[in-house]
Amino acid sequence: MKTIMITGTSAGIGRATALHFANKGWNVIATMRCPEKETELTKVQNVWVTHLDVENKESIQTVIEQGISKFGEIDVVVNNAGYGAFGIFEAATEEQIQRQFDVNVFGLMRVTKAILPHFRKNRKGVIINVTSEGGRVTYPLFSLYHASKYAVNGFTESLLYELSPFNIRVKIVEPGPTKTEFTGRSRDAIQDTRLTDYSEFEQKINLMYQSLFDPEQIASPELVAGVIYKAAIDPSRQLRYHIGSDLMIEREELNDNEFIGKMAQRFGIDIE
């Protein structure tokens, strides 16, 4: 039996991925900040639910050591934990800016760095970084989130080169809009009531978000979990696995001015 370690399994894509791999017969190390609150995954026989905070280096190392002791080795790591800061950049506090990167970028790097000695020793392993369509396409009011996901994309692509000699495969899974708690508990609202110059713009964009996305085109966490599984067992050097809207096609086909113009038009923004 192979073993996978997944961060951020308390909900959404992480939870769906843990269940998907468990159903495929894998051992699953399902990590989250508050495992004492978990009631579903703890009932699955081959799933070990445990505490891990990507902002805490010691908790990461402890889980990896215990996971290896429990299952013999770890074959795949999925860096899924993350959230989105939403709002006007000028209103963001230093703490909000720092935490967005500490979780989405530095936390992912901590987990990756901690598992590499094990993978190098075994001369095999797979690292799957769940980024986002938002790592190559941007939306209004998500500047911090997009910055973090663009950073992960660059980090992962470069890492591919240096880990290839050790037979360690590196993958990026890029979900588009997904039915998760991203707009709920996984979102950090950036607000500053003193910045009234932005009020009209914010209200307009918030209204657009409520009507912009077609529910029929929003992927389920289970669909994303299936793609993560495909990436995990894919022996090729394919880097990116995209799920979601046609925006990525537009991003690749249009030049910057054309694409940004179309996005601005979607949100009713005059950028002339």
Side-chain angles (χ1 to χ4, degrees):
M1 292 177 66
K2 290 191 174 183
T3 300
I4 185 170
M5 173 179 148
I6 310 166
T7 65
T9 60
S10 60
I13 293 171
R15 176 185 293 276
T17 302
L19 291 170
H20 188 93
F21 276 81
N23 289 335
K24 292 290 186 180
W26 287 51
N27 296 316
V28 179
I29 304 171
T31 75
M32 58 189 72
R33 286 181 298 173
C34 301
E36 66 278 3
K37 297 180 180 179
E38 179 56 40
T39 58
E40 181 183 9
L41 293 176
T42 51
K43 297 176 182 177
V44 183
Q45 185 175 7
N46 49 326
V47 175
W48 175 44
V49 177
T50 188
H51 167 76
L52 185 149
D53 183 349
V54 297
E55 296 181 86
N56 185 292
K57 181 179 177 180
E58 287 70 29
S59 77
I60 296 167
Q61 193 62 47
T62 296
V63 169
I64 290 175
E65 291 174 0
Q66 291 178 349
I68 294 170
S69 176
K70 187 176 181 68
F71 297 116
E73 65 180 22
I74 297 172
D75 300 280
V76 178
V77 166
V78 176
N79 284 306
N80 168 73
Y83 75 100
F86 176 80
I88 296 295
F89 171 71
E90 190 178 344
T93 65
E94 286 294 317
E95 291 74 19
Q96 286 175 311
I97 296 170
Q98 179 65 42
R99 185 164 189 271
Q100 180 71 103
F101 277 79
D102 205 25
V103 173
N104 288 13
V105 182
F106 305 139
L108 176 148
M109 289 180 173
R110 291 184 191 102
V111 174
T112 300
K113 189 170 185 179
I115 196 63
L116 284 180
H118 180 63
F119 283 177
R120 278 192 298 103
K121 178 182 177 181
N122 293 340
R123 286 299 192 271
K124 65 176 182 176
V126 182
I127 298 167
I128 301 175
N129 292 335
V130 180
T131 61
S132 168
E133 183 175 84
R136 289 197 281 169
V137 174
T138 63
Y139 295 91
L141 302 182
F142 277 105
S143 59
L144 291 181
Y145 173 74
H146 288 304
S148 71
K149 292 301 184 180
Y150 269 69
V152 171
N153 270 334
F155 167 71
T156 309
E157 185 172 329
S158 179
L159 198 63
L160 180 150
Y161 299 114
E162 61 194 75
L163 297 184
S164 182
F166 304 104
N167 195 34
I168 301 171
R169 286 176 284 134
V170 181
K171 309 285 186 176
I172 296 172
V173 172
E174 302 174 311
T178 308
K179 297 173 185 175
T180 68
E181 296 186 359
F182 182 77
T183 57
R185 69 176 183 175
S186 295
R187 191 173 83 174
D188 178 21
I190 300 172
Q191 296 176 325
D192 188 338
T193 56
R194 296 168 298 178
L195 291 173
T196 56
D197 285 350
Y198 292 105
S199 297
E200 184 178 345
F201 178 83
E202 285 186 283
Q203 291 171 8
K204 177 180 178 180
I205 298 303
N206 276 308
L207 286 173
M208 290 299 298
Y209 275 123
Q210 294 175 24
S211 60
L212 188 65
F213 297 109
D214 182 354
E216 297 299 321
Q217 293 186 347
I218 297 178
S220 67
E222 290 74 22
L223 177 62
V224 179
V227 175
I228 292 173
Y229 179 77
K230 175 184 175 182
I233 65 173
D234 185 355
S236 77
R237 289 294 175 183
Q238 180 177 338
L239 174 65
R240 301 181 189 276
Y241 301 76
H242 178 67
I243 320 106
S245 68
D246 295 332
L247 282 179
M248 296 293 281
I249 298 174
E250 291 184 16
R251 173 77 275 187
E252 293 172 358
E253 291 180 346
L254 303 176
N255 64 40
D256 282 347
N257 286 341
E258 292 170 337
F259 181 77
I260 292 171
K262 288 194 70 171
M263 289 297 289
Q265 187 177 32
R266 283 188 174 99
F267 285 93
I269 302 171
D270 183 5
I271 59 173
E272 297 302 327

